[in-house]
Amino acid sequence: MAMVFNHLLDLDLSHYSTTTTESTTTGDDDHYCNLGDWSPVVDWDALSVHPQENFNGLLEFEPNEDDNDHHMNLDSPTTLMVEPPVSPFSDDVKGLRLVHLLMAAAEAMATDNKSYDLAAVILVRLKDLVSPNEGTNMERLAAHFTDALLSLLETSARGVVGGLHYKQNHHLHHPTDVLAAFQLLQDMSPYVKFGHFTANQAIIEAVVHERRVHIIDYDIMEGIQWASLMQALISQKDGAPPPYLRITALSRPGSGRKSISTVQETGRLLTSFAASINLPFSFHQCKLDSNETFKPSSVKLVRGEAIIINCMLHLPHFTHRPPTSISSFLAGARALNPKLVTVVEEEEQKVEGGFVGRFMDTLHHYSAVYDSLEAGFPMQGRARTLVERVFMGPRIVGSLARVYREEGEGGSWGAWLTAEPGFQPVNISFANHCQAKLLLGLFNDGYRVEESASNKLVLGWKSRQLLSASIWTCLETN
Amino acid sequence: MIKQDTLFIPGFPLQETMFVDPEPNPTSDPISDWLEDSASYIPSFLDDPFGSNTIIDDRWWLQPQDLDQEIFSTSVANSTNTPTTPSDLLVFSDQSKQLTTDSSKKRKAPSTAQVKKPVRRGHGKSTKDGCNSDNRSGRWAEQLLNPCASAISAGNVSRVRHLLVVLRELASPTGDANYRLAAYGLQALSHHLSATRARVAEVVLPASSFSTVKPKFFQQSLINFNDINPWFTIPNHIANNAILQVLSDHDRGSSGGLHILDIGVSHGVQWPTLLEALSRLPRGPPPLVRLTVVTPTPDNTQIPFANGPPGHNFISNILRLANDYKINLHINTVDSCPLQNLNTQIIKSSPEDILIVCAQFRLHNLNHNNPDNRTEFLKAMRRLEPKGVILNDNNADCSCNSCSTFETGFARRVDNLWSFLDSTSVAFKGRDMDERKMMEGEASKALMSMCSMNERKEKWAERMIGAGFAGDVFREDVMEGARALLRKYDNNWELRVDECVGLWWKGQPVSFCSLWKIDSKSS
C-alpha cells in the first residue's frame, strides 16, 4: 500500500530539535516550559462554566462547604488571593489574574443589563498588563483576547462608552509576514499537515484503481495539500501509471488580497509542479457569487472520473467561511455523487453558560494552541509571536464576535454530515492512523491523535481536542 | 414676625467686621485665629452675591489673601446684588477629568468653569456630568462589590474568590470615585470574611481618617471640605438657623439662657456662625449660652466622622470667639454617657433655659432592635422637655442585622458611600489630596462595621411622633438661606422640601434635616 508519508522524510526538519524535554531559559524568550512536570497555569476543567459556576480547586484552598453563612474560616484576606500552588513563578499568578479579569470582562459584556463601563475598566486594566508581543503565553493570549473584547465593546457600545480609541490593526498584514507566518506554522506544528495528510491518505486509498480523479476543493488556499498528493500519486509502488488528476477550486470574488495567494496563482503553481513530475493534470476554477451558493452544475464533469470533495475548514491560516456557504457546498456536493468527502475542521466543544461559557472555552482552546507551539519551540518566541499575531489574533477576534452574536451553535460539520441524508462514514484506515501518529511524533509528545469515531481522527494537545479530520462517501457501496 | 435682617447675618459683613485689615492680625481677627494659615488650600468658592441676605457660612473661612478682592468687590457695590464680574457667578460642574493646575488662582475664572444660572430646587438634576442618563451604569464598583456580598451570603466560595481577585486588580485608593469605592469595599469585604463567629470582629480602621491626622491639619481639612462639599455644611447651616428660629419663637425669661445639646460631628465647625448671629440679635445674645457637647463613648470608635484626632480641642477656640462677640458662653462635655442614658442631671439642664437638642449624624448609630436604644434615646430626649429638636441624619434604609441581610445591608451602605465619594471627587475636582483621603477614609468606616445603621426619614418621623414629638416647619427664610448657600456648590446637589428638608446628590437622597417640638398633647 502506498504510503503518502514517504515524502515526509524529504521535508527538512533537521534544524528543529525533535526532543524538547529540556529547555534553557534566555532573557527574551519564554522560560516557563518544563514538559516533564508541565502543570497548566489554569485548571481548565475548573474554569469551564457550569451552571453552578463551580471553581473548586481553582486555587489551592480547601473549600469549606459547611460554611453556609457568611463567615468563612479564612485566616486572613490574603489567603483568598491567588497564590501559586507549586510553581514559584510569578507568571502563574499573573496568568491566573489575567484569566479572572478576562472572565469578568466577558461577564460584564454578556449580562442582560450590559455593564459596558465595567467592561471598559477591566479591559483598560488588562491592556496595561499585557502585550501581544511579550511575556508568557497567557499574557500574549490575554492581549489578543483583550483586543477582541475591546473591538466587540466598541461596536456594541458605540455612543455609550466614550473615549475607547481602539484601532483594529491586525487585519492587514504585510504579505511577506503572512507567508513567513504560514511557513512557520507549518514547521512548528502539525496543524496544517495533519489535515492534509489524513485527507490525502484517505484519497489515495479511495482512488487506488481509478484512472481519473477529480477533486473539488472548497478552499484551496496555497494548494500545498495537493503537491504532496501529486507526489504520492506518482510514487505508487505497483508501477501502474498515475491517474489523470483534475482539480476544481472554488474561488470567491475579491478574496485575493487576504489569502496567501490567489486561486489563479495556486493553479499555475500546481500545473507547473504537475508538469515537473509528469503527472497528467488540469486545473479549473469554479467561481462563486457573493453569497457563495454552490451550484453543482457549474462544475465540469468528465465521465468515469472519481469525484473527491475536499473541505478544509478553519485551519489556523484559513479565513472563516459563513455556515451557509459551507452547507450549500456540502449539500450541493452530494448531487455529484462523490466517492469520497474529506472534512477537516476545528473541534469545538458544546459548552454551557452562554457567552461567558463559550468565551472561556475559546480561551481554553487557544491557550492549548499557544502552549503546543511553545512546547515544541520554546526558544523561538519571536517566531511564535509572529504566527500568533498574523493568524491567531484575527481568528480570536472573529471567533469571539461570532460567539457574541450567537452565530452558530458550535456544532461540527461532522455532526451535520451525520445527520444529513446521503452521507455515509468511511473508516479511517490503520495506515492513516499510523501516519498521523508518525507525524505527531516529529513534533512534541504533548500532541495526541485519537479515533473518536470510525471515520474521524482528532488531533489534540494534552487533553484539549483541537482539530478533526473525517471522511465520508455518498456512493451506496464503498 | 422677626425680620430677616435681624435674624440672619446680612450679606455685607466684611466692611464692618473683623476683616478690615487684610493682613493677618491676631488680635483683631478672631476668625483668622480660628483659621490658621495653610498653603495647600483649595480656595473656597466664590461668593454668590445674588440674593444672599442669609447666612453664608463659607465667608468665615476665607483665606486672608482672598479678602482683598472680597472687600474690594463689596465696597464697590452698593448692594450685594451686583457681581463685579460675570465670573463671580461660577459654579463648577462635574469636570472631574479636567484638573485645574493652579488652585490659588481659582477666583480668576479658570477655563474649566462654566457660567451657569443658579439652580432652582427641583431642576437640580444635572445632565452635564458626562454620565449616562442611567446613572447606575457608570457605577461599576458596585457591580463587583454587591455580587461579591451576595456570593458571600450564599456561601459561593469560588465566586467570591473570583470577584475578590478582580476587585483587587481594579481597586485603587487614587482614581475616581469608582476606584476608591472598590478599594474601600474590598477592604470591608475582606475584613468581613476574616472575622469568624468565634471571635469578635477586630476593629479595622482605614489608613487615613480623623484619628490618624494631626489636630491642626484636621481642623483645616474639615473647614476646607465644608467649603467644597455641602455634606455637612447645609445641615449645619439649617441647624443653626433652626436654633435661631426656635429661640425667636420662645419668650426669654429674664434669666433664661440658651442651652444647646450638641450631639453631632461638626467638631466645633458649626458654632462660630451661630455665635456671630447671636451677637447680632436685636435684643442681643441671650444672657447665658450653654453648649453641652456629647461625644461618643470611648468604646465607640467606628461612627463615621464622630471622633476627632487625639489632642483636638475646639473648645478653647470657641470660647475665645464667644468672648470677642461678648457672649457669655459655657461649654460642657459629656463623654462617657451612652446617648440613651442622657438625662437632665447629666447634661445639667435647667428649666429656665431654652433647651434645644441638635442631633446630627449620630443617631444612625443607635441600635433599634434588642435593645431598642433608639426609642430609649428619644424618650430620654422627650423627658428633657426641649423647646426644639433638630434631627439631621443620613436618609437611607436601615442596614442592621434585623432589617436586612448581609448583602442588602452592604449594598445600602455602599450606595450611601458612593454618594459621598462621588460628591467629594467632584468637590476636589478629581485631585488626590491628603485631606480628601482623610475625609473618605472616615466615611468608609460606615462600611467596615455595623455601626451605621441608618433609617429613612419617614421612619425617623414615626419614631419622633411615637416618642411624643410633633413635626415643626423650617421658616421660609431658613429654606431660602439654605438654597442660596447650596448654589455655591456643584449643581448635582439639590434640596427637596416636603415635611422636612432633604439633601440629594445626583437624584439620590443623601441626608435629611427635620425640626421637632414637643407634642402638646403628649405628657
Side-chain angles (χ1 to χ4, degrees):
Chain A
M1 202 161 15
M3 297 292 184
V4 169
F5 61 85
N6 277 340
H7 73 283
L8 275 178
L9 305 170
D10 297 332
L11 297 174
D12 184 15
L13 296 172
S14 57
H15 55 287
Y16 290 127
S17 159
T18 56
T19 56
T20 53
T21 49
E22 284 171 10
S23 60
T24 55
T25 70
T26 61
D28 287 346
D29 292 318
D30 303 328
H31 58 273
Y32 162 67
C33 173
N34 299 318
L35 291 180
D37 56 333
W38 186 76
S39 57
V41 171
V42 178
D43 179 353
W44 287 103
D45 287 333
L47 273 178
S48 55
V49 179
H50 303 299
Q52 302 90 9
E53 294 179 30
N54 180 11
F55 294 112
N56 283 335
L58 175 61
L59 303 169
E60 289 299 304
F61 186 77
E62 291 288 292
N64 193 343
E65 299 299 335
D66 295 338
D67 270 330
N68 267 335
D69 63 3
H70 52 264
H71 293 298
M72 294 186 190
N73 291 322
L74 301 170
D75 290 330
S76 77
T78 53
T79 60
L80 290 172
M81 300 310 138
V82 173
E83 299 297 334
V86 174
S87 164
F89 296 142
S90 64
D91 290 336
D92 279 354
V93 180
K94 185 171 179 188
L96 215 32
R97 283 160 54 203
L98 295 174
V99 171
H100 277 292
L101 282 171
L102 283 170
M103 197 173 118
E107 220 179 290
M109 291 181 62
T111 49
D112 287 331
N113 44 340
K114 317 237 179 220
S115 321
Y116 291 137
D117 284 287
L118 178 58
V121 165
I122 297 174
L123 292 172
V124 162
R125 174 72 181 136
L126 276 166
K127 286 270 307 171
D128 271 344
L129 289 172
V130 298
S131 146
N133 298 323
E134 297 162 354
T136 62
N137 272 358
M138 196 62 230
E139 289 172 35
R140 293 195 313 278
L141 188 62
H144 285 296
F145 271 80
T146 302
D147 285 345
L149 283 176
L150 273 170
S151 71
L152 274 185
L153 185 62
E154 197 155 80
T155 50
S156 320
R158 194 162 284 149
V160 175
V161 175
L164 268 187
H165 298 298
Y166 168 67
K167 276 186 328 199
Q168 287 217 3
N169 56 3
H170 50 227
H171 279 318
L172 297 174
H173 291 284
H174 200 275
T176 48
D177 272 356
V178 177
L179 197 55
F182 175 65
Q183 280 168 349
L184 285 168
L185 179 66
Q186 276 215 90
D187 294 340
M188 296 203 303
S189 75
Y191 294 125
V192 178
K193 293 194 185 84
F194 168 78
H196 290 174
F197 291 176
T198 310
N200 286 353
Q201 179 65 20
I203 294 172
I204 292 282
E205 290 163 9
V207 305
V208 71
H209 298 301
E210 301 284 346
R211 290 184 49 237
R212 290 176 173 278
V213 178
H214 182 187
I215 298 177
I216 303 171
D217 194 351
Y218 179 68
D219 204 345
I220 197 166
M221 293 293 279
E222 71 300 325
I224 202 166
Q225 174 179 8
W226 307 126
S228 38
L229 179 75
M230 288 179 191
Q231 276 202 305
L233 289 175
I234 290 290
S235 349
Q236 298 198 67
K237 278 207 174 115
D238 49 11
Y244 184 85
L245 178 65
R246 289 173 63 221
I247 295 183
T248 300
L250 265 53
S251 68
R252 294 149 184 89
S255 63
R257 234 182 330 143
K258 279 202 212 136
S259 58
I260 295 168
S261 59
T262 63
V263 174
Q264 285 102 312
E265 278 163 25
T266 304
R268 274 196 294 275
L269 284 168
L270 288 174
T271 308
S272 66
F273 182 69
S276 74
I277 58 174
N278 286 323
L279 176 72
F281 174 76
S282 62
F283 182 82
H284 312 270
Q285 272 191 62
C286 173
K287 292 201 162 87
L288 294 178
D289 54 23
S290 52
N291 58 1
E292 298 200 22
T293 14
F294 174 65
K295 297 190 193 59
S297 52
S298 54
V299 177
K300 261 197 311 207
L301 299 176
V302 168
R303 173 134 17 141
E305 64 185 5
I307 310 249
I308 311 286
I309 304 290
N310 188 64
C311 205
M312 296 281 142
L313 296 172
H314 309 154
L315 296 192
H317 60 301
F318 274 51
T319 324
H320 186 267
R321 303 288 173 206
T324 45
S325 162
I326 300 170
S327 58
S328 144
F329 176 68
L330 290 172
R334 185 184 50 212
L336 299 173
N337 245 347
K339 185 151 192 207
L340 201 70
V341 179
T342 60
V343 176
V344 174
E345 58 179 335
E346 235 178 15
E347 267 296 280
E348 277 182 23
Q349 320 288 343
K350 261 232 164 5
V351 178
E352 310 277 320
F355 173 66
V356 178
R358 295 190 63 192
F359 174 87
M360 294 304 285
D361 191 65
T362 310
L363 189 60
H364 184 192
H365 180 101
Y366 285 96
S367 169
V369 173
Y370 273 49
D371 286 348
S372 69
L373 291 178
E374 182 188 46
F377 300 93
M379 308 299 294
Q380 281 71 27
R382 287 176 62 215
R384 285 183 282 117
T385 306
L386 180 66
V387 172
E388 292 162 9
R389 211 172 58 237
V390 171
F391 295 135
M392 310 293 172
R395 289 297 297 282
I396 291 168
V397 173
S399 218
L400 282 188
R402 278 188 298 282
V403 169
Y404 193 61
R405 292 193 293 265
E406 289 170 29
E407 289 171 14
E409 297 79 32
S412 68
W413 288 105
W416 188 88
L417 286 171
T418 310
E420 189 81 351
F423 289 91
Q424 326 293 334
V426 173
N427 290 341
I428 299 272
S429 71
F430 179 71
N432 208 341
H433 196 158
C434 285
Q435 174 187 249
K437 286 200 176 119
L438 253 169
L439 170 66
L440 298 194
L442 293 174
F443 292 90
N444 183 285
D445 60 1
Y447 289 105
R448 308 238 178 285
V449 63
E450 59 184 29
E451 248 183 66
S452 73
S454 64
N455 70 333
K456 183 163 150 181
L457 281 184
V458 176
L459 166 68
W461 169 258
K462 303 275 171 162
S463 57
R464 178 83 193 189
Q465 295 188 334
L466 294 173
L467 213 56
S468 74
S470 54
I471 49 180
W472 312 79
T473 183
C474 288
L475 299 183
E476 267 134 35
T477 50
N478 212 351
Chain B
M1 200 60 191
I2 309 285
K3 289 208 270 288
Q4 269 188 356
D5 280 346
T6 57
L7 201 48
F8 302 103
I9 296 177
F12 61 88
L14 299 172
Q15 286 173 320
E16 293 186 11
T17 62
M18 32 311 265
F19 299 104
V20 171
D21 182 359
E23 298 299 316
N25 186 340
T27 58
S28 69
D29 193 350
I31 299 294
S32 289
D33 278 351
W34 172 261
L35 246 208
E36 281 161 283
D37 243 4
S38 162
S40 69
Y41 247 48
I42 294 180
S44 59
F45 273 97
L46 297 177
D47 294 320
D48 174 9
F50 279 5
S52 39
N53 280 331
T54 56
I55 294 181
I56 297 174
D57 288 10
D58 68 344
R59 282 176 188 272
W60 299 112
W61 317 124
L62 291 176
Q63 286 238 58
Q65 72 241 31
D66 291 335
L67 301 176
D68 280 275
Q69 285 179 291
E70 184 60 30
I71 294 166
F72 178 74
S73 70
T74 53
S75 60
V76 162
N78 282 333
S79 76
T80 56
N81 289 333
T82 312
T84 52
T85 70
S87 62
D88 279 355
L89 191 58
L90 287 172
V91 177
F92 291 88
S93 64
D94 182 356
Q95 299 275 355
S96 52
K97 294 271 163 40
Q98 302 181 25
L99 306 177
T100 52
T101 51
D102 191 353
S103 63
S104 66
K105 299 220 170 36
K106 191 175 167 189
R107 279 185 175 263
K108 298 180 177 126
S111 55
T112 55
Q114 301 169 14
V115 178
K116 285 198 201 340
K117 297 208 190 64
V119 177
R120 287 262 149 233
R121 170 175 67 85
H123 293 76
K125 181 105 78 87
S126 159
T127 51
K128 294 186 174 54
D129 56 7
C131 288
N132 310 331
S133 56
D134 173 11
N135 213 10
R136 292 264 170 185
S137 68
R139 294 164 60 162
W140 56 260
E142 285 152 285
Q143 289 162 11
L144 294 170
L145 290 171
N146 291 341
C148 193
S150 300
I152 291 175
S153 284
N156 189 337
V157 177
S158 50
R159 183 102 180 113
V160 170
R161 272 201 212 107
H162 164 69
L163 288 169
L164 287 176
V165 170
V166 177
L167 276 167
R168 203 183 192 219
E169 284 297 317
L170 300 178
S172 163
T174 55
D176 73 17
N178 269 308
Y179 287 97
R180 291 168 194 246
L181 183 59
Y184 289 122
L186 176 62
Q187 191 182 359
L189 289 172
S190 307
H191 169 63
H192 176 84
L193 284 169
S194 68
T196 61
R197 244 188 302 196
R199 49 190 172 92
V200 174
E202 311 158 6
V203 167
V204 164
L205 292 173
S208 180
S209 70
F210 283 2
S211 36
T212 63
V213 299
K214 297 216 166 54
K216 183 171 152 182
F217 176 82
F218 164 70
Q219 185 169 299
Q220 286 167 351
S221 306
L222 193 53
I223 291 166
N224 186 45
F225 178 78
N226 286 337
D227 255 357
I228 57 179
N229 187 326
W231 194 277
F232 301 112
T233 318
I234 291 282
N236 285 347
H237 174 97
I238 292 178
N240 282 346
N241 284 340
I243 290 171
L244 294 168
Q245 173 180 327
V246 171
L247 188 60
S248 72
D249 278 347
H250 288 85
D251 211 14
R252 277 188 241 164
S254 53
S255 57
L258 171 64
H259 185 184
I260 301 170
L261 185 61
D262 175 18
I263 308 172
V265 297
S266 77
H267 301 281
V269 165
Q270 180 180 356
W271 304 121
T273 322
L274 179 66
L275 290 178
E276 217 259 359
L278 287 174
S279 73
R280 293 177 174 287
L281 291 176
R283 290 166 56 190
L288 173 62
V289 178
R290 289 177 49 217
L291 183 63
T292 301
V293 180
V294 182
T295 61
T297 53
D299 55 334
N300 241 331
T301 53
Q302 289 290 70
I303 309 172
F305 308 111
N307 293 86
H312 178 249
N313 187 345
F314 62 86
I315 291 177
S316 47
N317 283 344
I318 299 277
L319 287 173
R320 220 179 314 136
L321 189 63
N323 197 29
D324 290 329
Y325 283 129
K326 305 200 177 26
I327 295 176
N328 182 14
L329 175 66
H330 290 208
I331 302 184
N332 202 21
T333 315
V334 176
D335 53 20
S336 36
C337 181
L339 293 181
Q340 64 273 13
N341 295 347
L342 290 170
N343 58 38
T344 49
Q345 229 172 336
I346 292 174
I347 69 170
K348 303 198 184 69
S349 71
S350 122
E352 296 149 350
D353 285 339
I354 297 174
L355 173 66
I356 303 178
V357 177
C358 185
Q360 300 201 76
F361 299 106
R362 291 276 298 281
L363 301 187
H364 60 75
N365 175 53
L366 286 170
N367 211 339
H368 67 102
N369 260 306
N370 223 15
D372 189 356
N373 289 333
R374 246 171 239 193
T375 310
E376 282 310 307
F377 167 76
L378 294 179
K379 285 198 192 137
M381 291 299 102
R382 176 67 183 81
R383 285 193 288 274
L384 294 176
E385 308 255 321
K387 300 290 184 289
V389 175
I390 299 158
L391 174 54
N392 299 345
D393 215 305
N394 299 327
N395 188 8
D397 285 306
C398 188
S399 47
C400 78
N401 282 333
S402 17
C403 289
S404 62
T405 58
F406 169 70
E407 51 179 304
T408 344
F410 185 76
R412 284 173 182 165
R413 286 180 283 144
V414 160
D415 187 53
N416 204 249
L417 183 59
W418 164 259
S419 293
F420 188 87
L421 292 177
D422 190 34
S423 63
T424 301
S425 174
V426 168
F428 279 94
K429 294 201 220 296
R431 266 180 291 189
D432 188 28
M433 306 175 69
D434 287 341
E435 302 171 15
R436 179 177 171 184
K437 281 205 177 76
M438 178 191 84
M439 296 301 301
E440 291 177 347
E442 189 67 28
S444 76
K445 281 184 181 172
L447 280 191
M448 302 299 168
S449 71
M450 292 306 295
C451 270
S452 287
M453 291 175 265
N454 299 323
E455 202 143 59
R456 289 266 172 218
K457 59 183 168 73
E458 292 82 8
K459 285 228 66 159
W460 279 114
E462 273 174 36
R463 289 185 191 277
M464 291 297 281
I465 291 172
F469 291 99
D472 201 350
V473 188
F474 295 111
R475 281 211 200 99
E476 186 51 35
D477 41 21
V478 176
M479 295 314 309
E480 271 305 317
R483 284 193 201 106
L485 182 54
L486 191 59
R487 277 183 219 125
K488 311 161 86 55
Y489 297 93
D490 187 84
N491 67 347
N492 282 303
W493 288 103
E494 26 163 352
L495 278 175
R496 295 195 193 176
V497 180
D498 36 54
E499 61 282 345
C500 60
V501 179
L503 186 59
W504 291 59
W505 167 258
K506 287 192 182 166
Q508 287 208 250
V510 163
S511 60
F512 70 93
C513 305
S514 60
L515 181 61
W516 302 87
K517 59 189 178 211
I518 297 225
D519 186 354
S520 48
K521 293 184 247 114
S522 73
S523 55

